[in-house]
């Protein structure tokens, strides 16, 4: 079962094992692509919380070839699992934001890196999905399964504006219409603890996403990082940051409200310790995950037990 006595929500690991009968690893790659928000912002600022690596801090070195990036991580994974399969994940930047022929070359090269790659996962933004991109994705989809990972973060446009995110709900809705119409699985990223957002606002984001046919979700805690505009704002005028217990309480309620058919790809993230300003508790990733599991088991909570169609 995808939901069991240990995990009361649909984990990515259980989902992939049920499909492929094998361990499936995600290998992050860096195509060196930019972001329209950075390109259009004064001084190349972009989203206020985004690192200089365009949210690809563990996404490989863009100076290395895809082969070198893939090989280095694969060798580490194969020390533990000799028969695993792979998801090639274009992580850093907006990976549908480039000349269409350049994108075709990138996607084609990546899916041919290794015969054990079963999925190409492409991280991007809602405002970087259009008919031309969809046509290319459908073409590549004939050769390899494709997932799109959309940065969304919050349903509250006022928060997006404060953080200079550069897209709005209408962009997301348009992107989802195109992706759903063309049967392209979509994973949506949300961030808990954005400045000024209440628990109710974070819960509302999940209720909003339940209206769409999304296949997966990543729930992150806001990382306040050095050398980012938000890091400077925080150091000059600290704002409230969620405690570990608050994050766990909110995340568990979000899971309970979430459509039980949606796969949970991630809860919390992996910041670089050297770059992190706050909150320090996110460095204890497995403690956070274990505490979420303990709370759900103790209270007999399950993903979707509060979901309303």
């Amino acid at each position: 079962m995808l939901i069991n006595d240990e995990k009361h929500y649909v984990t990515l690991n259980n989902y992939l094992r049920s499909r492929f009968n094998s361990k499936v690893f995600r290998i992050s790659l860096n195509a060196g692509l930019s972001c329209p928000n950075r390109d259009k912002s004064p001084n190349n600022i972009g989203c206020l919380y985004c690192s200089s690596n365009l949210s690809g801090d563990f996404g490989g070195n863009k100076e290395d070839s895809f082969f070198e990036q893939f090989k280095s991580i694969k060798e580490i994974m194969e020390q533990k699992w000799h028969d695993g399969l792979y998801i090639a994940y274009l992580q850093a930047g907006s990976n549908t934001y480039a000349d269409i022929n350049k994108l075709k070359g990138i996607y084609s090269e990546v899916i041919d890196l290794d015969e054990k790659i079963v999925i190409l996962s492409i991280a991007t933004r809602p405002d970087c999905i259009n008919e031309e991109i969809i046509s290319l994705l459908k073409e590549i989809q004939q050769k390899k399964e494709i997932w799109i990972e959309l940065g969304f973060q919050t349903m509250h446009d006022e928060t997006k504006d404060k953080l200079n995110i550069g897209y709005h709900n209408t962009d997301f809705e348009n992107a989802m219409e195109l992706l759903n119409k063309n049967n392209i699985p979509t994973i949506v990223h949300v961030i808990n603890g954005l400045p000024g957002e209440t628990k109710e606002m974070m819960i509302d984001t999940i209720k909003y996403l339940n209206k769409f046919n999304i296949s997966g979700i990543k729930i992150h805690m806001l990382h306040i990082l050095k050398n980012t505009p938000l890091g400077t704002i925080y150091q000059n005028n600290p704002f409230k940051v969620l405690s570990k217990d608050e994050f766990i309480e909110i995340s568990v309620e979000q899971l309970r409200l979430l459509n039980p058919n949606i796969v949970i790809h991630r809860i919390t993230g992996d910041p670089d310790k050297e770059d992190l300003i706050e909150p320090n508790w996110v460095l204890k990733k497995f403690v956070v995950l274990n505490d979420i599991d303990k709370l759900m088991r103790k209270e007999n909570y399950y993903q979707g037990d509060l979901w309303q169609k």
Side-chain angles (χ1 to χ4, degrees), residues 143-196:
K143 304 174 185 176
K144 191 72 64 177
E145 181 173 348
I146 284 183
W147 292 350
I148 286 291
E149 300 206 18
L150 281 185
F152 178 64
Q153 324 315 357
T154 174
M155 70 159 290
H156 303 285
D157 281 345
E158 63 271 26
T159 302
K160 295 192 191 82
D161 289 341
K162 285 192 295 186
L163 292 170
N164 195 45
I165 290 177
Y167 53 76
H168 295 98
N169 288 350
T170 52
D171 298 301
F172 175 75
E173 291 162 9
N174 292 337
M176 286 304 306
E177 181 178 0
L178 284 172
L179 291 162
N180 287 165
K181 185 169 66 175
N182 291 279
N183 299 311
I184 298 172
T186 305
I187 297 99
V188 176
H189 295 213
V190 300
I191 298 178
N192 287 337
L194 293 172

Side-chain angles (χ1 to χ4, degrees), residues 2 14 17 45 50 53 62 87 102 106 111-112 114-115 129-130 135 144 180 232 273 285 305:
L2 295 183
N14 284 351
R17 277 196 174 278
I45 289 174
C50 192
N53 291 320
K62 65 182 180 181
I87 298 171
K102 179 176 182 178
I106 289 171
I111 63 175
D112 287 339
D114 194 295
E115 63 182 9
I129 298 293
N130 54 48
S135 294
K144 191 72 64 177
N180 287 165
T232 301
K273 182 178 180 179
K285 175 182 175 180
D305 62 18

Side-chain angles (χ1 to χ4, degrees), residues 35-49:
C35 165
N37 201 28
R38 285 262 174 115
D39 290 352
K40 296 172 185 176
S41 295
N43 302 318
N44 201 34
I45 289 174
C47 304
L48 298 189
Y49 53 75

Side-chain angles (χ1 to χ4, degrees), residues 14 16 36 39 69 71 89 93 116 129 131 137 152 166 169 185 192 200 203 210 222 236 239 256 261 276 279 284 299:
N14 284 351
L16 291 171
D39 290 352
Q69 292 180 48
K71 181 174 179 287
Y89 179 32
K116 293 168 70 176
I129 298 293
E131 292 281 5
L137 295 178
F152 178 64
N169 288 350
N192 287 337
E200 290 71 26
I203 295 299
N210 272 334
L222 175 67
N236 292 333
F239 49 83
R256 297 182 68 201
N261 295 313
L276 184 67
K284 300 178 180 179
E299 301 296 338

